Amino acid sequence: MRVLLTGAAGFIGGHIADTLDHEVVPLDLATGDDVRDPATLDRLLPGVDAVIHQAAKVGLGVDVADLPGYASVNVCGTAALLAAMARHGVGRLVLAGSMVVYGEGAYDCPHHGGVRPGPRRAADLAAGLFDPRCPVCGSVLAPSVIGEDAPPDPRNAYATTKLAQEHLAANWARETGGTAVSLRYHNVYGPRMPRDTPYAGVASLFLSALLAGRAPRVFEDGAQRRDFVHVRDVARANALALAAGTEGELTAYNIASGVPRTVGELAAALAARTGGPAPVTTGEYRLGDVRHIVASPAKAARELGFRAEIPFTDGMAEFAGR
């Protein structure tokens, strides 16, 4: 199979290129190729059987000034790619989706069962009340696992554009009869992860601080739950997804370890591995952040045969270089 891989020089894209047992046609802005450029796409797509689309502007964004950049790269870039795939008869797409499309995760109320809370109020966050409340009775909620059928609820520019990518891919699949798979990555970490940038993931930010001799700064109370999945597991999921999906539809999968950890646990694990200073819990917050997002990877196991293989402790030791 001949596979066009966008974002091929990036963190996840590079690991996918290493993993695929197929001919890879790389496309990456770092090498001068722009996914938004029809001429570039028309040059690279002839003879391609499938596309793995990783190219994206990532992170939550710094402020509202980032909105045009996210829309240009993530939305317009994906639209240009899909239009070119239709021109050249390429009928299979694997998309780098994200768990951020869910917004807050799933929760259980002691009185009303499963609920999905709205955005947390700035006044509550400023008062140190970080856990979402039941939208019906105001009770503190317990986090639960979220499946792919949960309604999307994006909370920031990045999340909104990642959901737009899925909608565009679904449009393309219906209109062309193509097959589209969205792999909703949870918190990906591992070797070659970008560092020293405000758009990096939390694991990278913590490691950058520790290697500079600074304590990692943990927002809120450090109890926010995430699912940290190793980049080589994510690359393997992409390889498996090339053979998956239903014609004329978009199928989404949670790509996660299935073993949630708190952000405080992440910071502590990296500090222990590097011998750096202990994390500092600051109580700071960002309005675009969600409290807990815990995934069910059962569908990916059932339909793709994907199960994460790299344990958190081993992955963190490798990531920290210890």
Side-chain angles (χ1 to χ4, degrees):
M1 184 183 294
R2 185 175 169 87
V3 180
L4 177 70
L5 174 60
T6 76
F11 166 47
I12 298 175
H15 284 276
I16 293 172
D18 292 344
T19 299
L20 288 182
D21 188 21
H22 300 289
E23 180 184 356
V24 173
V25 178
L27 187 160
D28 197 280
L29 189 61
T31 57
D33 292 329
D34 192 334
V35 74
R36 294 165 293 188
D37 178 34
T40 295
L41 295 168
D42 288 339
R43 173 171 55 85
L44 296 177
L45 279 170
V48 162
D49 302 297
V51 172
I52 297 180
H53 183 32
Q54 301 292 308
K57 184 177 176 67
V58 300
L60 296 184
V62 175
D63 56 36
V64 176
D66 284 324
L67 288 171
Y70 278 102
S72 177
V73 175
N74 297 353
V75 181
C76 295
T78 299
L81 174 64
L82 293 170
M85 289 173 65
R87 286 197 300 275
H88 293 278
V90 181
R92 183 167 292 276
L93 172 72
V94 178
L95 173 68
S98 175
M99 55 86 174
V100 296
V101 301
Y102 296 122
E104 279 289 352
Y107 291 82
D108 290 323
C109 172
H111 307 292
H112 296 96
V115 295
R116 295 288 300 282
R120 295 179 293 170
R121 299 188 307 163
D124 287 341
L125 294 170
L129 302 174
F130 300 120
D131 285 308
R133 304 282 176 157
C134 175
V136 180
C137 68
S139 296
V140 174
L141 300 172
S144 182
V145 295
I146 197 162
E148 292 85 352
D149 58 350
D153 185 18
R155 300 289 177 86
N156 53 63
Y158 174 61
T160 299
T161 59
K162 294 305 286 184
L163 181 59
Q165 286 183 322
E166 289 195 357
H167 287 317
L168 290 169
N171 295 157
W172 166 85
R174 284 192 297 269
E175 293 182 22
T176 65
T179 298
V181 173
S182 179
L183 301 180
R184 291 177 176 168
Y185 304 156
H186 285 251
N187 288 68
V188 185
Y189 74 96
R192 310 201 298 260
M193 190 175 187
R195 297 212 312 266
D196 302 316
T197 164
Y199 301 95
V202 65
S204 183
L205 295 175
F206 288 166
L207 184 60
S208 293
L210 287 161
L211 294 180
R214 303 189 308 270
R217 295 175 61 82
V218 180
F219 280 16
E220 301 185 17
D221 58 0
Q224 53 271 51
R225 288 155 63 91
R226 299 289 187 270
D227 190 306
F228 298 98
V229 58
H230 196 279
V231 66
R232 286 199 297 276
D233 282 328
V234 170
R236 189 165 46 82
N238 277 270
L240 292 168
L242 281 174
T246 303
E247 290 185 1
E249 297 181 7
L250 180 137
T251 308
Y253 297 96
N254 284 326
I255 302 302
S257 73
V259 184
R261 305 276 179 169
T262 69
V263 174
E265 287 177 316
L266 169 69
L270 288 173
R273 286 293 180 179
T274 60
V280 175
T281 303
T282 69
E284 296 172 88
Y285 61 88
R286 297 187 298 183
L287 288 176
D289 284 343
V290 298
R291 179 61 170 171
H292 304 296
I293 179 73
V294 179
S296 169
K299 182 180 177 183
R302 185 173 64 250
E303 297 185 11
L304 299 183
F306 170 78
R307 292 175 178 80
E309 296 178 348
I310 300 174
F312 179 81
T313 51
D314 294 350
M316 284 297 150
E318 178 190 22
F319 181 52
R322 299 291 189 275

PDB file of all heavy atoms in Angstrom, residues 43-58:
ATOM      1  N   ARG A  43       0.673  16.984  -6.694  1.00  0.00           N
ATOM      2  CA  ARG A  43       1.950  16.348  -7.011  1.00  0.00           C
ATOM      3  C   ARG A  43       2.149  15.041  -6.262  1.00  0.00           C
ATOM      4  O   ARG A  43       2.729  14.086  -6.796  1.00  0.00           O
ATOM      5  CB  ARG A  43       3.088  17.331  -6.679  1.00  0.00           C
ATOM      6  CG  ARG A  43       4.490  16.750  -6.806  1.00  0.00           C
ATOM      7  CD  ARG A  43       5.557  17.828  -6.672  1.00  0.00           C
ATOM      8  NE  ARG A  43       5.431  18.585  -5.431  1.00  0.00           N
ATOM      9  CZ  ARG A  43       5.952  18.200  -4.266  1.00  0.00           C
ATOM     10  NH1 ARG A  43       6.618  17.049  -4.177  1.00  0.00           N
ATOM     11  NH2 ARG A  43       5.821  18.955  -3.201  1.00  0.00           N
ATOM     12  N   LEU A  44       1.658  14.972  -5.017  1.00  0.00           N
ATOM     13  CA  LEU A  44       1.950  13.829  -4.158  1.00  0.00           C
ATOM     14  C   LEU A  44       0.887  12.727  -4.178  1.00  0.00           C
ATOM     15  O   LEU A  44       1.201  11.575  -3.901  1.00  0.00           O
ATOM     16  CB  LEU A  44       2.127  14.311  -2.711  1.00  0.00           C
ATOM     17  CG  LEU A  44       3.308  15.241  -2.446  1.00  0.00           C
ATOM     18  CD1 LEU A  44       3.315  15.686  -0.991  1.00  0.00           C
ATOM     19  CD2 LEU A  44       4.630  14.555  -2.790  1.00  0.00           C
ATOM     20  N   LEU A  45      -0.358  13.063  -4.493  1.00  0.00           N
ATOM     21  CA  LEU A  45      -1.442  12.091  -4.339  1.00  0.00           C
ATOM     22  C   LEU A  45      -1.562  11.049  -5.458  1.00  0.00           C
ATOM     23  O   LEU A  45      -2.084   9.955  -5.192  1.00  0.00           O
ATOM     24  CB  LEU A  45      -2.776  12.819  -4.174  1.00  0.00           C
ATOM     25  CG  LEU A  45      -3.063  13.334  -2.767  1.00  0.00           C
ATOM     26  CD1 LEU A  45      -4.282  14.247  -2.768  1.00  0.00           C
ATOM     27  CD2 LEU A  45      -3.259  12.182  -1.794  1.00  0.00           C
ATOM     28  N   PRO A  46      -1.157  11.305  -6.689  1.00  0.00           N
ATOM     29  CA  PRO A  46      -1.297  10.261  -7.705  1.00  0.00           C
ATOM     30  C   PRO A  46      -0.611   8.955  -7.292  1.00  0.00           C
ATOM     31  O   PRO A  46       0.540   8.945  -6.867  1.00  0.00           O
ATOM     32  CB  PRO A  46      -0.622  10.879  -8.936  1.00  0.00           C
ATOM     33  CG  PRO A  46      -0.821  12.346  -8.765  1.00  0.00           C
ATOM     34  CD  PRO A  46      -0.651  12.574  -7.278  1.00  0.00           C
ATOM     35  N   GLY A  47      -1.361   7.852  -7.407  1.00  0.00           N
ATOM     36  CA  GLY A  47      -0.836   6.545  -7.032  1.00  0.00           C
ATOM     37  C   GLY A  47      -0.952   6.210  -5.562  1.00  0.00           C
ATOM     38  O   GLY A  47      -0.584   5.105  -5.142  1.00  0.00           O
ATOM     39  N   VAL A  48      -1.474   7.140  -4.746  1.00  0.00           N
ATOM     40  CA  VAL A  48      -1.626   6.893  -3.308  1.00  0.00           C
ATOM     41  C   VAL A  48      -2.901   6.092  -3.054  1.00  0.00           C
ATOM     42  O   VAL A  48      -3.948   6.342  -3.672  1.00  0.00           O
ATOM     43  CB  VAL A  48      -1.657   8.242  -2.544  1.00  0.00           C
ATOM     44  CG1 VAL A  48      -2.231   8.085  -1.144  1.00  0.00           C
ATOM     45  CG2 VAL A  48      -0.250   8.825  -2.489  1.00  0.00           C
ATOM     46  N   ASP A  49      -2.835   5.131  -2.134  1.00  0.00           N
ATOM     47  CA  ASP A  49      -3.990   4.295  -1.787  1.00  0.00           C
ATOM     48  C   ASP A  49      -4.733   4.793  -0.553  1.00  0.00           C
ATOM     49  O   ASP A  49      -5.931   4.531  -0.405  1.00  0.00           O
ATOM     50  CB  ASP A  49      -3.524   2.857  -1.526  1.00  0.00           C
ATOM     51  CG  ASP A  49      -2.816   2.262  -2.718  1.00  0.00           C
ATOM     52  OD1 ASP A  49      -3.461   2.121  -3.774  1.00  0.00           O
ATOM     53  OD2 ASP A  49      -1.604   1.959  -2.612  1.00  0.00           O
ATOM     54  N   ALA A  50      -4.027   5.459   0.360  1.00  0.00           N
ATOM     55  CA  ALA A  50      -4.635   5.901   1.615  1.00  0.00           C
ATOM     56  C   ALA A  50      -3.861   7.093   2.148  1.00  0.00           C
ATOM     57  O   ALA A  50      -2.695   7.311   1.789  1.00  0.00           O
ATOM     58  CB  ALA A  50      -4.633   4.773   2.654  1.00  0.00           C
ATOM     59  N   VAL A  51      -4.523   7.869   3.006  1.00  0.00           N
ATOM     60  CA  VAL A  51      -3.903   9.030   3.634  1.00  0.00           C
ATOM     61  C   VAL A  51      -4.020   8.896   5.145  1.00  0.00           C
ATOM     62  O   VAL A  51      -5.095   8.578   5.668  1.00  0.00           O
ATOM     63  CB  VAL A  51      -4.576  10.344   3.180  1.00  0.00           C
ATOM     64  CG1 VAL A  51      -4.052  11.532   3.990  1.00  0.00           C
ATOM     65  CG2 VAL A  51      -4.351  10.577   1.696  1.00  0.00           C
ATOM     66  N   ILE A  52      -2.918   9.131   5.839  1.00  0.00           N
ATOM     67  CA  ILE A  52      -2.931   9.301   7.292  1.00  0.00           C
ATOM     68  C   ILE A  52      -2.652  10.771   7.557  1.00  0.00           C
ATOM     69  O   ILE A  52      -1.567  11.267   7.255  1.00  0.00           O
ATOM     70  CB  ILE A  52      -1.889   8.404   7.994  1.00  0.00           C
ATOM     71  CG1 ILE A  52      -2.217   6.932   7.760  1.00  0.00           C
ATOM     72  CG2 ILE A  52      -1.841   8.704   9.485  1.00  0.00           C
ATOM     73  CD1 ILE A  52      -1.238   5.978   8.424  1.00  0.00           C
ATOM     74  N   HIS A  53      -3.635  11.460   8.105  1.00  0.00           N
ATOM     75  CA  HIS A  53      -3.567  12.924   8.238  1.00  0.00           C
ATOM     76  C   HIS A  53      -3.241  13.300   9.678  1.00  0.00           C
ATOM     77  O   HIS A  53      -4.097  13.277  10.555  1.00  0.00           O
ATOM     78  CB  HIS A  53      -4.911  13.519   7.813  1.00  0.00           C
ATOM     79  CG  HIS A  53      -4.950  15.014   7.832  1.00  0.00           C
ATOM     80  ND1 HIS A  53      -3.849  15.819   7.561  1.00  0.00           N
ATOM     81  CD2 HIS A  53      -5.976  15.875   8.087  1.00  0.00           C
ATOM     82  CE1 HIS A  53      -4.200  17.086   7.645  1.00  0.00           C
ATOM     83  NE2 HIS A  53      -5.481  17.154   7.974  1.00  0.00           N
ATOM     84  N   GLN A  54      -1.967  13.646   9.895  1.00  0.00           N
ATOM     85  CA  GLN A  54      -1.492  14.051  11.219  1.00  0.00           C
ATOM     86  C   GLN A  54      -1.215  15.543  11.325  1.00  0.00           C
ATOM     87  O   GLN A  54      -1.134  16.086  12.434  1.00  0.00           O
ATOM     88  CB  GLN A  54      -0.188  13.305  11.559  1.00  0.00           C
ATOM     89  CG  GLN A  54      -0.300  11.803  11.558  1.00  0.00           C
ATOM     90  CD  GLN A  54      -1.159  11.303  12.686  1.00  0.00           C
ATOM     91  OE1 GLN A  54      -0.943  11.656  13.844  1.00  0.00           O
ATOM     92  NE2 GLN A  54      -2.151  10.486  12.363  1.00  0.00           N
ATOM     93  N   ALA A  55      -1.028  16.224  10.205  1.00  0.00           N
ATOM     94  CA  ALA A  55      -0.627  17.630  10.225  1.00  0.00           C
ATOM     95  C   ALA A  55      -1.695  18.472  10.923  1.00  0.00           C
ATOM     96  O   ALA A  55      -2.863  18.423  10.566  1.00  0.00           O
ATOM     97  CB  ALA A  55      -0.410  18.133   8.806  1.00  0.00           C
ATOM     98  N   ALA A  56      -1.294  19.236  11.932  1.00  0.00           N
ATOM     99  CA  ALA A  56      -2.239  20.071  12.676  1.00  0.00           C
ATOM    100  C   ALA A  56      -1.480  21.058  13.540  1.00  0.00           C
ATOM    101  O   ALA A  56      -0.331  20.824  13.922  1.00  0.00           O
ATOM    102  CB  ALA A  56      -3.151  19.214  13.563  1.00  0.00           C
ATOM    103  N   LYS A  57      -2.149  22.143  13.848  1.00  0.00           N
ATOM    104  CA  LYS A  57      -1.684  23.051  14.898  1.00  0.00           C
ATOM    105  C   LYS A  57      -2.250  22.509  16.203  1.00  0.00           C
ATOM    106  O   LYS A  57      -3.462  22.325  16.329  1.00  0.00           O
ATOM    107  CB  LYS A  57      -2.182  24.470  14.636  1.00  0.00           C
ATOM    108  CG  LYS A  57      -1.668  25.510  15.638  1.00  0.00           C
ATOM    109  CD  LYS A  57      -2.151  26.904  15.245  1.00  0.00           C
ATOM    110  CE  LYS A  57      -1.727  27.954  16.273  1.00  0.00           C
ATOM    111  NZ  LYS A  57      -0.267  28.137  16.306  1.00  0.00           N
ATOM    112  N   VAL A  58      -1.388  22.251  17.185  1.00  0.00           N
ATOM    113  CA  VAL A  58      -1.805  21.535  18.387  1.00  0.00           C
ATOM    114  C   VAL A  58      -1.773  22.445  19.606  1.00  0.00           C
ATOM    115  O   VAL A  58      -1.383  23.605  19.525  1.00  0.00           O
ATOM    116  CB  VAL A  58      -0.918  20.291  18.619  1.00  0.00           C
ATOM    117  CG1 VAL A  58      -1.019  19.330  17.443  1.00  0.00           C
ATOM    118  CG2 VAL A  58       0.542  20.698  18.839  1.00  0.00           C
TER     119      VAL A  58
END
